[in-house]
Amino acid sequence: AKMSRPKFGIRDALICGEVAMMITAFALAISACLIPKWSVVTVNGNNIEVGIWEICTNGNCVDWNTSDGLGCYAWVGATAAFSIISICALFIGVVFALILLLCIKLVPQLIAGCMFYFGIWAAIACLICWIMWWVFANQDWDNCVLAAGQKLENYNISFWMQVVASVLAGIASCLACCTCCVGGSGWGPGKKKSKDDDGPYGTDNEMDEKHEYPSGNLQYPTAEA
């Protein structure tokens, strides 16, 4: 007998999209965290590249000065904290995405639901992360990175990687939500049961049609005295 190939359904396409977006968002979030290029400015011919961990000038990097208390570093520290939170949430989302891809028949609604929640948390963390930096970069900080009256409004590659990571995590979460509702691989919400799912004897309705059951009031013989 010729074996039929499994069909590539809507749910399979959604899951592949979720996995690709979550892995990409995870890679971008890690790169944004490690690469010190959130903003870049040119002062006296020198390029100053500012990251969430260090400040680099012509390849020479120094760590942030954390002694200013609630000064400008408070915004940078908050950015770094939410960057780490987003990476952790994205990592868990990637794990659930891979489980969903490899074990597509194993309670897909539950796994997709877990991926949805962690993806939403990751998207929110990524969003807060780059918003924190945007607020920091638009402030006029005296002797923080630049001189008074200068701002870090020239955003660099790390900032935009974090923005893209937040968008991808949000889209992946939406796809995970759709996976819980759309059929296409196995049977679940959105796909009706087929005859093959009811065993070799057909559905319960078919069994009822094959067998006739007496209707009405049944009279049983009584013992005569």
Side-chain angles (χ1 to χ4, degrees):
K2 186 178 180 180
M3 297 180 62
S4 59
R5 298 180 59 184
K7 295 182 179 180
F8 189 83
I10 298 177
R11 177 176 291 169
D12 303 271
L14 291 174
I15 292 174
C16 291
E18 296 161 26
V19 173
M21 289 187 181
M22 289 297 287
I23 292 178
T24 304
F26 179 64
L28 289 175
I30 291 180
S31 300
C33 182
L34 297 178
I35 299 176
K37 291 185 177 182
W38 282 70
S39 291
V40 59
V41 290
T42 302
V43 179
N44 298 326
N46 296 321
N47 291 328
I48 300 178
E49 296 176 333
V50 186
I52 59 179
W53 306 109
E54 55 189 6
I55 303 172
C56 300
T57 304
N58 295 330
N60 299 319
C61 300
V62 295
D63 295 335
W64 271 94
N65 180 17
T66 60
S67 62
D68 64 343
L70 296 178
C72 64
Y73 182 74
W75 292 94
V76 180
T79 303
F82 279 101
S83 175
I84 295 175
I85 293 173
S86 66
I87 290 174
C88 294
L90 283 169
F91 174 76
I92 299 175
V94 168
V95 171
F96 278 112
L98 292 176
I99 293 175
L100 188 62
L101 180 64
L102 299 176
C103 306
I104 196 171
K105 298 288 185 179
L106 180 63
V107 286
Q109 287 82 5
L110 176 61
I111 299 175
C114 294
M115 180 187 164
F116 167 76
Y117 287 116
F118 281 102
I120 285 294
W121 294 343
I124 293 174
C126 289
L127 181 65
I128 296 177
C129 178
W130 65 260
I131 288 179
M132 287 286 186
W133 186 268
W134 176 79
V135 173
F136 161 72
N138 281 274
Q139 298 292 327
D140 182 11
W141 298 103
D142 188 9
N143 296 324
C144 181
V145 179
L146 305 176
Q150 294 178 310
K151 300 179 181 180
L152 297 172
E153 294 179 327
N154 295 324
Y155 305 108
N156 207 357
I157 183 172
S158 296
F159 175 84
W160 295 115
M161 284 193 294
Q162 191 73 18
V163 173
V164 175
S166 65
V167 174
L168 292 179
I171 296 176
S173 300
C174 294
L175 294 181
C177 183
C178 294
T179 303
C180 297
C181 305
V182 176
S185 187
W187 65 270
K191 182 176 179 181
K192 298 181 179 179
K193 293 175 66 177
S194 63
K195 292 183 178 181
D196 296 335
D197 297 323
D198 292 291
Y201 301 105
T203 63
D204 295 337
N205 292 333
E206 291 175 349
M207 294 293 293
D208 293 338
E209 294 174 357
K210 292 179 181 178
H211 300 278
E212 295 181 356
Y213 298 96
S215 59
N217 297 326
L218 298 179
Q219 295 181 355
Y220 297 93
T222 59
E224 295 181 356

